């Protein structure tokens, strides 16, 4: 993967040229920047490495009941592996291809925080602005800031457990962000400012606040501050009307019906067509694997901000949970996993993860088309792939950097197996 150079100048009113976004700042002076990605060896990863990667993905597909997967691995000093595996499934034998679009789940949170920091850098909002300044009906959050919502330090609960059934049974329903967030707001609050809490409600409210602060829709904001500058032509936050991921072709998304003692792995339910309002600025965006890899590589390096911009977004992470290993932390809308930065999660029909090392550009991204295990499996798979690929030898004329991860591929292969909800069908 090679992230193409991009230039952007910010302004009150944006005028988009073919490959540049030109805006005028408050001072009227154009503020230019360009992003140059790390050099990438233009070759396939060695066959023994890709064989290990493919086995890992196929085992995860079996464990999750997914019929298909799309994966991208970019090792700058060694090569790349970008492919689709499996089929659309449930009677559709169409092979999955790497150009198919899909819902990226919680990776959307990173983009929402990109918008927050972009508006703050433009002087349009303050990171420490109180949430009630922009969101009505939350007067009991006077000390919670926009930055708290981005960092996951608001103490607000999650709506997922309360609304998951509605998402699966009425995927076309058009939710208002505050209505969806209200379920999380109604849960007992945790400590604010000092601890991370995984809260979809927080990112829903952040998106709503940014809309009201800017006078633009969340879709327009993500386009302006994320997809246009990075030239992500296949990435967007779609309109709320139920539709498959776009552009076509789309990877079909499914989930498994719950039955006594587990799931019916033989009867996956198609949920490809869904309203983006079920996720909005928490998990509503769509993309392709090439765009997703390009995005997370740039995100890890904070390419959308000026060099040494303050405050540094990922400089003060907190433990991802009270039981998390020391190398697993959270802030800025994402997770820090060893030296890698990224995000993972689920949305009905898909589980997705994307991580990149900012120093080297080493990047992994993967999606599976069954969401019943939840987003944790996508994380475990991405970390397993990263552990495998990190050991890829340097290509001729290249030198492998000092790059290591605080876990092994075997560790997460076992974790995926231990959390499997389906097994391979018996051999015929």
């Amino acid at each position: 993967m090679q992230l193409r150079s991009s230039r952007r100048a910010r302004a009150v009113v944006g005028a988009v040229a073919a490959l540049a976004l030109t805006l005028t700042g408050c001072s009227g002076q154009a503020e230019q920047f360009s992003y140059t990605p790390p050099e990438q060896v233009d070759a396939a990863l060695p066959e023994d490495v890709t064989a290990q990667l493919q086995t890992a993905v196929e085992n995860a597909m079996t464990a999750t009941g997914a019929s298909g997967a799309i994966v991208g691995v970019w090792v700058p000093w060694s090569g790349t592996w970008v492919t689709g595996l499996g089929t659309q499934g449930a009677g559709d034998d169409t092979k999955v291809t790497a150009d198919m679009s899909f819902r990226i789940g919680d990776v959307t949170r990173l983009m929402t925080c990109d918008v927050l920091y972009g508006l703050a850098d433009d002087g349009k909002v303050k990171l420490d602005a109180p949430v009630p300044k922009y969101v009505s009906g939350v007067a009991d959050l006077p000390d919670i800031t926009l930055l708290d919502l981005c960092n996951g330090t608001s103490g607000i609960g999650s709506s997922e457990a309360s609304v998951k059934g509605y998402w699966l049974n009425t995927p076309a329903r058009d939710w208002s962000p505050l209505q969806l967030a209200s379920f999380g707001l109604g849960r007992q609050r945790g400590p604010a400012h000092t601890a991370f809490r995984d809260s979809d409600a927080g990112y829903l409210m952040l998106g709503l606040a940014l809309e009201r602060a800017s006078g633009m829709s969340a879709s327009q904001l993500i386009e302006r501050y994320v997809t246009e500058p990075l030239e992500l032509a296949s990435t967007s936050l779609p309109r709320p009307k139920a539709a498959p991921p776009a552009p076509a072709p789309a990877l079909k998304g499914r989930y498994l019906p719950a039955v006594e003692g587990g799931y019916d792995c033989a009867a996956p339910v198609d949920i490809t067509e869904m309203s983006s309002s079920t996720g909005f600025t928490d998990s509503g965006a769509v993309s392709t694997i090439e765009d997703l890899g390009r995005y997370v590589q740039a995100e890890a390096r904070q390419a959308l901000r000026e060099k040494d911009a303050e405050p540094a977004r990922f400089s003060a992470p907190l433990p991802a949970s009270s039981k998390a290993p020391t190398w697993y932390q959270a802030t800025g809308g994402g997770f820090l996993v060893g030296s890698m930065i990224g995000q993972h999660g689920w949305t009905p029909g898909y589980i997705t993860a994307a991580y990149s090392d900012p120093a080297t550009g080493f990047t992994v991204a993967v999606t599976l088309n069954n969401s019943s295990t939840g987003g944790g499996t996508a994380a475990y798979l991405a970390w397993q792939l990263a552990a495998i690929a990190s050991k890829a030898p340097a290509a001729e004329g290249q030198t492998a950097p000092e790059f290591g991860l605080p876990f092994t591929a075997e560790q997460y292969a076992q974790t995926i197996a231990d959390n499997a909800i389906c097994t391979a069908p018996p051999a015929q």
Side-chain angles (χ1 to χ4, degrees):
M1 175 193 60
Q2 190 75 5
L3 228 179
R4 293 166 291 186
S5 295
S6 62
R7 296 182 179 273
R8 179 187 66 191
R10 294 175 176 153
V12 177
V13 178
V16 181
L19 292 177
L21 184 65
T22 304
L23 305 168
T24 305
C26 296
S27 65
Q29 299 298 316
E31 185 179 339
Q32 298 283 345
F33 80 95
S34 63
Y35 172 60
T36 302
E39 293 294 327
Q40 169 70 56
V41 168
D42 187 15
L45 286 169
E47 289 185 2
D48 62 326
V49 176
T50 60
Q52 295 177 65
L53 295 170
Q54 181 163 335
T55 297
V57 177
E58 289 174 342
N59 287 343
M61 289 167 58
T62 298
T64 61
S67 66
I70 307 175
V71 59
V73 179
W74 295 268
V75 185
W77 61 89
S78 184
T80 64
W81 185 60
V82 180
T83 192
L85 296 172
T87 68
Q88 295 279 35
D92 184 345
D93 293 330
T94 303
K95 290 185 177 180
V96 172
T97 55
D99 63 338
M100 289 179 171
S101 59
F102 51 91
R103 304 188 195 282
I104 63 174
D106 293 6
V107 180
T108 309
R109 296 178 176 186
L110 287 169
M111 298 181 179
T112 302
C113 290
D114 288 336
V115 173
L116 170 63
Y117 276 88
L119 287 169
D121 289 346
D122 282 352
K124 305 289 180 60
V125 300
K126 293 183 181 297
L127 295 177
D128 61 358
V131 175
K133 179 176 180 179
Y134 299 110
V135 180
S136 59
V138 291
D140 59 337
L141 300 175
D143 63 333
I144 302 303
T145 68
L146 300 184
L147 186 58
D148 282 323
L149 297 182
C150 170
N151 286 342
T153 54
S154 67
I156 296 169
S158 177
S159 298
E160 177 185 313
S162 298
V163 299
K164 181 178 179 180
Y166 295 112
W167 288 342
L168 299 181
N169 294 319
T170 56
R173 178 174 175 174
D174 188 349
W175 294 83
S176 72
L178 194 55
Q179 178 190 25
L180 194 55
S182 67
F183 296 92
L185 288 167
R187 296 188 179 278
Q188 183 175 354
R189 303 276 167 81
H193 316 305
T194 59
F196 170 77
R197 186 175 188 180
D198 194 334
S199 170
D200 51 15
Y203 295 98
L204 295 168
M205 286 200 298
L206 180 57
L208 182 59
L210 298 176
E211 284 189 330
R212 293 179 176 174
S214 67
M216 300 172 66
S217 71
S219 296
Q220 291 171 326
L221 287 167
I222 286 176
E223 179 179 11
R224 176 165 168 173
Y225 283 97
V226 182
T227 63
E228 283 284 357
L230 293 177
E231 301 172 37
L232 305 177
S234 298
T235 303
S236 68
L237 178 61
R239 295 181 178 180
K241 184 177 180 181
L251 177 66
K252 290 186 176 179
R254 307 184 191 279
Y255 70 92
L256 301 174
V259 295
E260 186 176 355
Y263 294 90
D264 186 348
C265 296
V269 178
D270 190 306
I271 197 167
T272 308
E273 290 194 14
M274 188 176 70
S275 170
S276 68
S277 68
T278 59
F280 188 52
T281 49
D282 171 71
S283 55
V286 299
S287 191
T288 60
I289 204 69
E290 288 280 5
D291 264 19
L292 183 58
R294 183 158 56 245
Y295 169 69
V296 77
Q297 186 188 73
E299 179 73 351
R301 306 180 84 198
Q302 281 297 277
L304 289 170
R305 302 187 72 202
E306 294 296 322
K307 184 179 180 180
D308 300 323
E310 294 291 341
R313 182 162 153 192
F314 298 113
S315 63
L318 294 167
S321 73
S322 60
K323 298 180 180 179
T326 56
W327 51 260
Y328 183 32
Q329 300 173 300
T331 196
F335 292 104
L336 285 70
V337 178
S339 65
M340 298 190 300
I341 296 172
Q343 187 47 279
H344 61 266
W346 78 283
T347 191
Y350 309 87
I351 58 173
T352 303
Y355 282 87
S356 183
D357 173 57
T360 64
F362 176 90
T363 302
V364 295
V366 64
T367 190
L368 277 66
N369 71 339
N370 195 302
S371 59
S372 293
T373 60
T377 302
Y380 305 148
L381 177 57
W383 302 345
Q384 181 188 5
L385 297 176
I388 293 170
S390 67
K391 301 183 183 304
E396 184 177 356
Q398 300 291 317
T399 301
E402 293 186 6
F403 175 69
L405 295 168
F407 47 79
T408 66
E410 293 76 16
Q411 176 182 346
Y412 282 105
Q414 188 62 53
T415 301
I416 292 170
D418 291 344
N419 288 277
I421 58 173
C422 295
T423 57
Q428 299 297 319

